[in-house]
Amino acid sequence: MRQRWAQGRPLGSLRSQLLRWLLIPLVMLVLLDAFFVYRNALDAADMAYDRSLLASTRALAERVSIVGGKVVAEVPYVALDSFETDTLGRIYYKVTGINGELVSGYGDLPPVPKNVPRSQNYPALVRFYHADYHGKPIRIAALLQPVYDDSMRGIALIQVAETLDARRGLSNQILFDTLSWQAAMILVMGALVWFAVRLVLRPLMRLKTEVETRTLSDLSDVDPALVHKEMRPLVSAMNGSMSRLQQLIASQRRFIADASHQLRTPLTVLKTQAELAMRECDRQAGTPSDMAALRDIVRSIAATTDSTVLLANRLLTLARIEHGSDSLAMDTVALRDVAQQVGLEMAMAAVGKNIDLSLEAPDEAPVHGQALLLHELLANLVDNALRYTPQGGSVILRVHAAQAGHGAVLEVEDSGAGIAPAERERVLTPFYRVGAALESNPGGAGLGLAIVRDIAALHGARLELATAANGRGLKVSVHFSTAT
């Protein structure tokens, strides 16, 4: 179940997955590092502020003494003014005597909680704790200061408190600096990761470009050195697949060649035998009605054989175009020469139907193409025109040389029934025949124009069907591009 789900799920982009799996953990690590950096910075800032608070407490403790059997604190106003600086914020103090009496300062300053341990960072007997004073959070340093004279001795408590405004300002500044630095680091790391992923995937992009730019007939092996070592098994598998595909295509080509030979030979023999039978019927004497019936049967056999030969030849031509035309060599071909050759080949068929077959080709009209396929294209066009043109009609072959901004044009125009504009797109599909064609030539195969379409597409030419100049026939034009 899990395997089927994984196979049906699209994997998406390799680059995006690499970026996600690299950047997301990096961002999480950076954020975790920012948290610890911020905590360490706060601890360092608290230690610095506590040290400054302790220094103020010690300065005040040095002015506590016993005078006349009482604990007194001589705190001049200059010292108090020095306490209230921007560095420490607002300062409060309280001096408690040996017996817990208030000696000086703010009597309502929060006392030391019982569970506050002594600080281990300093040799002095000092405790640090947080409290609220008049609605504001404060930090208090409580120092036990020994005091004595000849008459008494004991421990005085000196408390110095500061508001947390300065600490919070420093904390916010530390947080801002930390986040700014970490954000900059994330951007730099993201750019480096993106560049690294792009650099690592560049061989795959080169492989993709090479495969995309190959022609249909190029099934040669891909160089495994184009990609990383981990991707070479995939390239080797792809080369093996293309090798098997080459074997399949070669097998299909052999089959087409064998089928062409095997089909044409018996069909030609059958047609020859039918013609011999017709001549033998004319030679031998017999009942006129019997001989006429026999001749009709033999004539039907010959017509059916002709249709079968035509269908086989055109099917094999279509197969050759689809499977083997890519490997045929392209060269400069003169359309006038091709038209003259086709005209000579079709002359007897035109004479047999009393059709005027003419050629208008003042220029050679060279194009870049395959001579055999161009001959097949024009032969199909002329054969169709002769088949669907009534006796006494005309078929014209025209060849126009390339002009400025336009390529060479090959035209075949007849005086037949033509094809309605609504049907012209559909007649280019195999085995489709319009009603007029079925009536005038029931033995047709419906493949001639489909073959013409494929050969024209193979040469990058544009096929156009239009009404002939007589307003009734069909004119087929093949426009070759200037690039061709």
Side-chain angles (χ1 to χ4, degrees), residues 218-254:
D218 187 3
L219 296 176
S220 59
D221 289 347
V222 178
D223 187 6
L226 290 176
V227 295
H228 302 93
K229 181 174 65 175
E230 291 78 7
M231 296 297 297
R232 289 173 188 171
L234 175 61
V235 175
S236 300
M238 186 169 60
N239 289 337
S241 177
M242 287 193 290
S243 176
R244 293 189 294 272
L245 185 60
Q246 283 180 324
Q247 296 175 3
L248 176 62
I249 293 176
S251 175
Q252 289 179 342
R253 289 176 179 172
R254 287 194 300 270

Side-chain angles (χ1 to χ4, degrees), residues 117-128:
R118 183 177 68 85
S119 175
Q120 302 297 324
N121 297 326
Y122 310 100
L125 300 176
V126 62
R127 290 175 173 82
F128 294 95

Side-chain angles (χ1 to χ4, degrees), residues 153-349:
R153 64 176 57 229
I155 300 296
L157 177 62
I158 295 91
Q159 297 171 272
V160 176
E162 65 169 347
T163 57
L164 300 182
D165 297 336
R167 293 189 183 222
R168 288 181 174 177
L170 180 61
S171 300
N172 294 335
Q173 184 64 37
I174 291 174
L175 178 61
F176 176 78
D177 293 343
T178 302
L179 292 180
S180 300
W181 169 250
Q182 299 296 336
M185 187 160 53
I186 289 176
L187 292 177
V188 173
M189 291 173 62
L192 291 176
V193 169
W194 179 85
F195 178 77
V197 170
R198 183 181 178 86
L199 186 64
V200 170
L201 293 181
R202 186 174 297 174
L204 286 179
M205 297 299 104
R206 285 201 301 265
L207 176 63
K208 166 181 169 292
T209 302
E210 179 179 343
V211 174
E212 285 182 344
T213 54
R214 287 191 171 197
T215 60
L216 294 177
S217 59
D218 187 3
L219 296 176
S220 59
D221 289 347
V222 178
D223 187 6
L226 290 176
V227 295
H228 302 93
K229 181 174 65 175
E230 291 78 7
M231 296 297 297
R232 289 173 188 171
L234 175 61
V235 175
S236 300
M238 186 169 60
N239 289 337
S241 177
M242 287 193 290
S243 176
R244 293 189 294 272
L245 185 60
Q246 283 180 324
Q247 296 175 3
L248 176 62
I249 293 176
S251 175
Q252 289 179 342
R253 289 176 179 172
R254 287 194 300 270
F255 171 77
I256 291 172
D258 295 341
S260 175
H261 176 73
Q262 296 295 331
L263 280 174
R264 286 170 179 169
T265 300
L267 290 174
T268 303
V269 172
L270 180 61
K271 182 179 179 181
T272 303
Q273 292 173 345
E275 291 176 350
L276 289 175
M278 292 177 65
R279 286 197 294 268
E280 185 67 18
C281 290
D282 293 337
R283 189 178 62 83
Q284 294 181 359
T287 305
S289 60
D290 294 340
M291 299 305 297
L294 182 59
R295 291 185 62 193
D296 290 340
I297 294 173
V298 175
R299 187 179 292 110
S300 299
I301 294 174
T304 303
T305 304
D306 287 339
S307 300
T308 307
V309 171
L310 176 65
L311 175 61
N313 287 337
R314 290 188 171 177
L315 283 174
L316 291 171
T317 300
L318 273 178
R320 186 167 61 248
I321 294 172
E322 293 175 356
H323 296 288
S325 59
D326 300 339
S327 59
L328 297 177
M330 294 285 188
D331 200 357
T332 301
V333 180
L335 290 180
R336 183 176 65 182
D337 296 342
V338 177
Q340 288 176 347
Q341 183 179 1
V342 172
L344 291 175
E345 294 174 359
M346 298 292 181
M348 293 304 297

Side-chain angles (χ1 to χ4, degrees), residues 390-472:
Q391 293 189 1
S394 63
V395 175
I396 305 174
L397 280 71
R398 295 191 185 94
V399 176
H400 302 285
Q403 300 177 357
H406 300 280
V409 180
L410 183 64
E411 293 181 351
V412 176
E413 183 176 352
D414 62 58
S415 59
I419 299 176
E423 300 282 347
R424 289 172 185 171
E425 187 67 27
R426 301 184 65 184
V427 296
L428 298 178
T429 58
F431 305 108
Y432 180 81
R433 305 181 67 205
V434 295
L438 291 172
E439 295 175 1
S440 60
N441 185 24
L447 291 173
L449 290 178
I451 293 175
V452 171
R453 178 204 61 187
D454 291 345
I455 297 177
L458 185 66
H459 288 77
R462 178 171 56 87
L463 184 63
E464 180 181 354
L465 276 63
T467 304
N470 62 4
R472 188 168 179 268

Side-chain angles (χ1 to χ4, degrees), residues 37-114:
V37 168
Y38 176 66
R39 290 290 304 271
N40 292 335
L42 285 182
D43 292 342
D46 283 339
M47 185 175 293
Y49 272 96
D50 286 347
R51 185 178 290 111
S52 177
L53 188 61
L54 177 60
S56 300
T57 306
R58 283 177 171 173
L60 183 59
E62 291 177 355
R63 299 180 177 274
V64 176
S65 61
I66 297 178
V67 178
K70 293 182 179 181
V71 179
V72 297
E74 299 178 358
V75 183
Y77 289 105
V78 176
L80 294 178
D81 292 338
S82 66
F83 289 163
E84 302 197 17
T85 61
D86 293 337
T87 303
L88 299 178
R90 180 69 184 272
I91 296 294
Y92 306 96
Y93 77 97
K94 177 182 179 183
V95 179
T96 304
I98 297 174
N99 299 317
E101 72 279 8
L102 176 64
V103 176
S104 178
Y106 297 84
D108 56 349
L109 204 62
V112 181
K114 295 181 179 180

